[in-house]
Amino acid sequence: MKHHYYLIANEEAGSGRAKIATARIREILEKKNFTYSLYTTTYPGHEKELAQELLPKLAPWTEPVEEFPLLIVLGGDGTLHGVVNVLPKEIPVGYIPCGSGNDFARGAGIQREAEKAFWQIVGAQKPQTLQVMRYHEKIQDEVGLAINNIGIGLDAAIVAATNDSATKKTLNKYKLGSLAYMVSMIKVLFTQKGFPILVELNGQQLAFEKAFLCTTTNHPYFGGGVPIAPVADPRKATLDLVIVEKIAWVKIFYLIFQLARKKHMQSKNFHHFQTSKIRIISTVPEYGQVDGEVMGQRSFDLSFTSEPRLFWF
């Protein structure tokens, strides 16, 4: 089956690694005489506008045709997040990960080297169905899709601190953007306080007085490869909720050590739930994040369900 590849590339992703990857993929497309159109983002949110403009050229997946128009996102998870939130669920999308974290590719089984990911797309004969998360934040009536995770507390505070860091731009120039995340993580670990949350799932209400981290996900990873929910599976219509309670510093670092060994789920301060629907209420203003984008520091009333989407690989 032939394709017309429509590529949306965010060349700023991955501290500039996406620019190198885009040039390499374009070289392959030219050399192999693939039919393609390349669109490059020039400002934050541009990927959504480009995807919206391309909708008339795309088609829902029904059955093989002589030349199927396939959209491919080349960038980080944030770029893919923006595009998926624009596309109708019947339209498949390919993904060439070039960001700093690439957690979605890890969780889905997509190759994390750009050229290998491209050939994985070329070799596929049909899309795969993966579950993403649909969320509704009722206080501000905000709705959307998340491909990785949505967090309140520690992880969101780290993202916020990293984005506000004066060293981030400097480190990005030297392709060391991940160091800014590490610096912010150490800082936030010592400043993040416990906060109360109410959770509704599986027909019951659970109250946590001193939550430290509250993350909803549908695949194992967050923060650039941290296996926060090892049993999560994006091919199943289930959601995984992880709550870590505020504990002494020594225990926090021991939990991190256990996390690296994938034995953290044995800790009594680590709570993991699997279900099809979740509601989380946080009345004390805390930072929130969705797929690495800060939602602000505010109160939350979040509801989650899973939703199938088509990914070509």
Side-chain angles (χ1 to χ4, degrees):
M1 179 174 52
K2 294 183 178 180
H3 292 89
H4 184 130
Y5 296 113
Y6 292 91
L7 290 88
I8 295 178
N10 175 9
E11 295 186 337
E12 297 299 316
S15 301
R17 287 191 294 272
K19 186 173 184 178
I20 297 172
T22 300
R24 176 57 183 149
I25 298 303
R26 188 171 190 173
E27 181 182 322
I28 295 172
L29 289 163
E30 293 284 352
K31 184 177 181 179
K32 298 296 183 179
N33 293 317
F34 286 117
T35 304
Y36 77 97
S37 302
L38 175 63
Y39 304 84
T40 305
T41 64
T42 56
Y43 50 84
H46 194 192
E47 73 282 354
K48 296 180 182 179
E49 297 175 15
L50 291 173
Q52 191 71 47
E53 292 171 6
L54 285 172
L55 282 180
K57 300 179 183 293
L58 303 176
W61 172 256
T62 52
E63 58 185 32
V65 294
E66 185 175 346
E67 184 177 86
F68 186 76
L70 180 61
L71 179 63
I72 299 176
V73 174
L74 202 157
D77 287 348
T79 311
L80 180 62
H81 166 92
V83 171
V84 168
N85 271 274
V86 171
L87 292 182
K89 62 181 180 180
E90 299 84 6
I91 295 180
V93 59
Y95 180 43
I96 299 176
C98 305
S100 56
N102 299 324
D103 283 327
F104 180 78
R106 280 188 180 86
I110 296 172
Q111 294 286 340
R112 298 200 305 277
E113 291 183 27
E115 191 170 337
K116 289 182 178 180
F118 172 73
W119 287 115
Q120 190 178 21
I121 292 170
V122 172
Q125 297 301 308
K126 61 181 181 179
Q128 299 187 39
T129 300
L130 299 179
Q131 300 292 327
V132 300
M133 293 183 295
R134 178 166 291 280
Y135 68 91
H136 180 198
E137 201 293 296
K138 296 180 181 178
I139 297 174
Q140 297 193 15
D141 196 24
E142 178 181 346
V143 297
L145 298 173
I147 60 169
N148 284 332
N149 45 69
I150 300 177
I152 303 171
L154 180 67
D155 58 334
I158 293 172
V159 173
T162 303
N163 290 347
D164 293 339
S165 171
T167 61
K168 182 181 179 182
K169 291 184 178 180
T170 302
L171 289 171
N172 278 342
K173 290 180 181 179
Y174 298 98
K175 299 182 179 180
L176 297 172
S178 59
L179 284 181
Y181 185 89
M182 293 297 294
V183 171
S184 297
M185 181 179 70
I186 294 171
K187 176 184 176 182
V188 173
L189 275 173
F190 286 97
T191 57
Q192 177 67 37
K193 298 179 180 180
F195 56 95
I197 59 170
L198 179 67
V199 177
E200 296 180 0
L201 50 76
N202 296 328
Q204 59 181 326
Q205 287 191 345
L206 303 172
F208 297 87
E209 294 301 322
K210 291 186 177 181
F212 190 57
L213 176 148
C214 177
T215 297
T216 305
T217 183
N218 64 338
H219 68 67
Y221 303 101
F222 88 146
V226 179
I228 190 71
V231 298
D233 186 346
R235 288 167 176 79
K236 296 181 179 179
T238 55
L239 302 168
D240 287 67
L241 172 63
V242 170
I243 296 173
V244 178
E245 294 182 275
K246 180 72 172 180
I247 50 180
W249 301 119
V250 174
K251 291 183 178 180
I252 288 176
F253 287 109
Y254 179 70
L255 184 59
I256 293 173
F257 173 70
Q258 291 291 81
L259 182 60
R261 300 169 62 205
K262 296 185 180 180
K263 293 185 177 181
H264 54 288
M265 295 180 73
Q266 300 172 4
S267 171
K268 67 178 181 179
N269 301 109
F270 182 95
H271 306 278
H272 172 256
F273 308 92
Q274 273 193 334
T275 185
S276 59
K277 294 181 180 180
I278 299 173
R279 183 184 180 190
I280 300 171
I281 301 172
S282 173
T283 56
V284 176
E286 291 288 336
Y287 280 108
Q289 66 83 21
V290 52
D291 289 344
E293 297 295 322
V294 178
M295 302 172 76
Q297 188 175 23
R298 68 198 211 207
S299 299
F300 291 93
D301 184 349
L302 280 162
S303 296
F304 303 91
T305 55
S306 60
E307 181 173 307
R309 289 290 170 133
L310 298 176
F311 294 89
W312 196 287
F313 66 99

